């Protein structure tokens, strides 16, 4: 819901909570799998912002990892961030 409403702060909280352990990675993987190309672009923008803060870099890397595992390189290469 946080992603659909374009609330990066709320999504960050969700990723922080979900990013711990195998169950968290399954949750992030399911979220990444459901993303449209526009959602992928938005998520990459969020990850870029989160990754610049040491406090949030682990959440950014968890989200980025889920997206890299679920989307083909060709789709990711076409994304204009």
């Amino acid at each position: 819901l946080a992603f659909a409403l374009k609330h990066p702060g709320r999504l960050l909280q969700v990723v922080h909570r979900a990013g711990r352990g195998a169950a968290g990675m399954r949750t992030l993987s399911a979220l990444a799998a459901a993303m449209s190309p526009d959602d992928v672009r938005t998520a990459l923008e969020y990850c870029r912002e989160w990754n610049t803060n040491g406090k949030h870099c682990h959440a950014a890397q968890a989200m980025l990892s889920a997206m890299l595992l679920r989307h083909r390189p060709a789709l990711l290469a076409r994304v204009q961030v």
Side-chain angles (χ1 to χ4, degrees):
L1 182 61
F3 189 76
L5 294 176
K6 306 280 190 225
H7 289 172
R10 179 94 42 188
L11 181 61
L12 179 62
Q13 291 174 353
V14 170
V15 173
H16 268 296
R17 289 187 190 124
R20 299 183 190 122
M25 279 309 292
R26 282 193 299 272
T27 301
L28 291 178
S29 183
L31 175 65
M35 289 181 183
S36 70
D38 285 335
D39 292 340
V40 169
R41 181 186 55 77
T42 302
L44 287 173
E45 289 173 354
Y46 293 166
C47 287
R48 179 186 61 200
E49 294 302 315
W50 298 341
N51 211 33
T52 61
N53 185 328
K55 200 165 60 171
H56 307 307
C57 66
H58 297 291
Q61 292 300 309
M63 187 69 184
L64 186 59
S65 175
M67 290 190 328
L68 290 173
L69 290 171
R70 296 298 274 178
H71 293 285
R72 296 180 177 266
L75 170 73
L76 296 172
R78 287 193 309 265
V79 173
Q80 299 286 326
V81 179

